């Protein structure tokens, strides 16, 4: 029996859900892996749709649960490795050159970030794989900082297996209500995105105020002379 038929009562076969269902229907486990690899490369593709739908497929016997977990984790590692490679190609020098051209930022900020990543890079890669939005992006700085490839792949595999297992098993247990996962994970994603936006705004406000104070101090220095 095809997943498209099984999913019809729970989710329309159009859009991302329909696309993912078609991949699993045609390719089985490797189709789910391909979908997740592409999700890593293009974060707008939501894992909170693809993974629970894969779990639903496993619950309906379209693929096995072991196959669902194996292929989605492999897809996560492949996608993350591609982003890691992009980070290595960008390299430290290019990253500093681009950073120097961005308004309202300082090289010292990048240096502090780099120092932090060198101290906590392994934790960042492992935990970052379980944080919505940042789970894909964390691979790029890991490549720029040239985290040892075997270590990067191992940490990515472990973090991805944990994240994938939670969402795949949720879809497996929820059955035709698998789409509830998207709702709850979507809330978490919005919270993470909101926190990141607040952090960026706060950073810009501090930078703008710092520039204003610097400009005010310069005339005073001239008058004192």
């Amino acid at each position: 029996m095809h997943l498209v038929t099984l999913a019809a009562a729970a989710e329309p076969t159009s859009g991302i859900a329909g696309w993912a269902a078609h991949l699993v229907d045609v390719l089985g486990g490797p189709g789910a892996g391909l979908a997740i690899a592409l999700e890593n490369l293009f974060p707008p593709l939501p894992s909170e749709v693809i993974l629970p739908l894969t779990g639903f497929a496993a619950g309906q016997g379209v693929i096995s649960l072991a196959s669902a977990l194996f292929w989605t984790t492999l897809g996560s590692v492949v996608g993350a490795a591609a982003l890691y490679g992009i980070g290595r190609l960008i390299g430290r020098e290019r990253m500093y050159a681009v950073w120097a051209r961005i308004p309202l930022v300082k090289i010292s900020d990048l240096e502090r970030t780099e120092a932090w990543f060198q101290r906590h890079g392994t934790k960042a890669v492992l935990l970052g794989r379980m944080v919505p939005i940042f789970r894909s992006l964390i691979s790029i700085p890991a490549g720029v900082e040239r985290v040892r490839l075997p270590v990067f792949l191992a940490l990515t595999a472990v973090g991805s297996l944990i994240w994938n297992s939670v969402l795949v098993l949720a879809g497996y247990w929820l059955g035709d209500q698998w789409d509830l996962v998207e709702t709850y994970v979507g809330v978490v994603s919005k919270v993470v995105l909101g926190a990141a936006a607040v952090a960026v705004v706060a950073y810009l406000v501090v930078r703008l105020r710092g520039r204003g104070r610097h400009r005010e101090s310069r005339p005073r220095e001239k008058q004192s002379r």
Side-chain angles (χ1 to χ4, degrees), residues 45-120:
L45 290 175
S47 62
E48 60 266 30
V49 170
I50 299 170
L51 291 171
L53 179 60
T54 302
F56 173 58
Q60 299 300 316
V62 177
I63 57 175
S64 69
L65 184 59
S67 177
L69 294 174
F70 171 79
W71 285 106
T72 54
T73 300
L74 179 61
S76 296
V77 173
V78 170
L83 291 176
Y84 174 90
I86 291 173
R88 290 197 67 140
L89 286 175
I90 292 172
R92 189 172 181 272
E93 292 183 4
R94 289 180 184 173
M95 182 178 66
Y96 270 84
V98 171
W99 190 268
R101 295 182 184 140
I102 300 176
L104 302 177
V105 299
K106 295 180 179 180
I107 292 297
S108 59
D109 295 327
L110 181 57
E111 290 172 342
R112 282 195 295 270
T113 302
E114 186 178 24
W116 180 90
F117 198 89
Q118 288 172 350
R119 291 194 303 271
H120 307 287

Side-chain angles (χ1 to χ4, degrees), residues 169-199:
L169 289 173
Y172 182 84
W173 288 324
L174 286 171
D176 59 5
Q177 292 184 309
W178 63 268
D179 53 323
L180 290 175
V181 179
E182 179 186 4
T183 301
Y184 290 109
V185 177
V187 171
V188 176
S189 298
K190 289 176 182 177
V191 170
V192 171
L193 186 60
V198 169

Side-chain angles (χ1 to χ4, degrees), residues 161-174:
L161 179 59
I162 294 172
W163 173 262
N164 293 355
S165 295
V166 170
L167 270 65
V168 168
L169 289 173
Y172 182 84
W173 288 324
L174 286 171

